Amino acid sequence: MTQSKNKHIAFVYFLRLIVAVHLIVVFTNFIALIILPFMTPWYVAIPLVTFLSNLVFNNWNCALTQLENSVRIKIGKPKIRSFVRHYLINKKWDI
């Protein structure tokens, strides 16, 4: 194998790692949205739930999405706009 082929394979595995970590972050935030109101007082829960719901459901471009897009460009894949929309709503697992 050539060095460029090894580099491409390394970036593909790195992209898979990024997607796995990102998926864990999204699911833990979603679980926190459900559990947090029952575990904390209302004056703590309302701001935190509002912040977490904005992170998960709005078109906010997080650092993991930016990192994933830079790796996707290096391996010749198109950029994504939103992790949740791309992988969970549209179900495009094109890694």
Side-chain angles (χ1 to χ4, degrees):
M1 276 193 207
T2 64
Q3 186 176 6
S4 64
K5 182 73 172 171
N6 288 338
K7 190 176 180 182
H8 179 75
I9 291 172
F11 278 123
V12 169
Y13 283 121
F14 186 52
L15 179 64
R16 290 178 181 169
L17 177 68
I18 293 169
V19 170
V21 168
H22 209 164
L23 199 59
I24 291 169
V25 169
V26 168
F27 279 126
T28 54
N29 282 339
F30 185 71
I31 290 169
L33 280 172
I34 296 169
I35 294 175
L36 196 61
F38 302 107
M39 302 296 286
T40 59
W42 67 270
Y43 53 85
V44 175
I46 290 175
L48 288 176
V49 166
T50 303
F51 176 71
L52 287 174
S53 61
N54 278 326
L55 286 179
V56 172
F57 296 112
N58 281 345
N59 212 8
W60 182 70
N61 198 6
C62 76
L64 283 173
T65 304
Q66 293 173 0
L67 179 62
E68 180 182 348
N69 281 334
S70 66
V71 173
R72 288 178 73 88
I73 289 171
K74 288 181 182 179
I75 63 172
K77 301 269 185 188
K79 292 170 82 174
I80 64 171
R81 288 185 55 202
S82 168
F83 180 84
V84 173
R85 184 181 304 125
H86 185 79
Y87 290 108
L88 301 177
I89 295 173
N90 295 338
K91 298 177 184 168
K92 294 181 182 177
W93 293 93
D94 57 346
I95 302 173

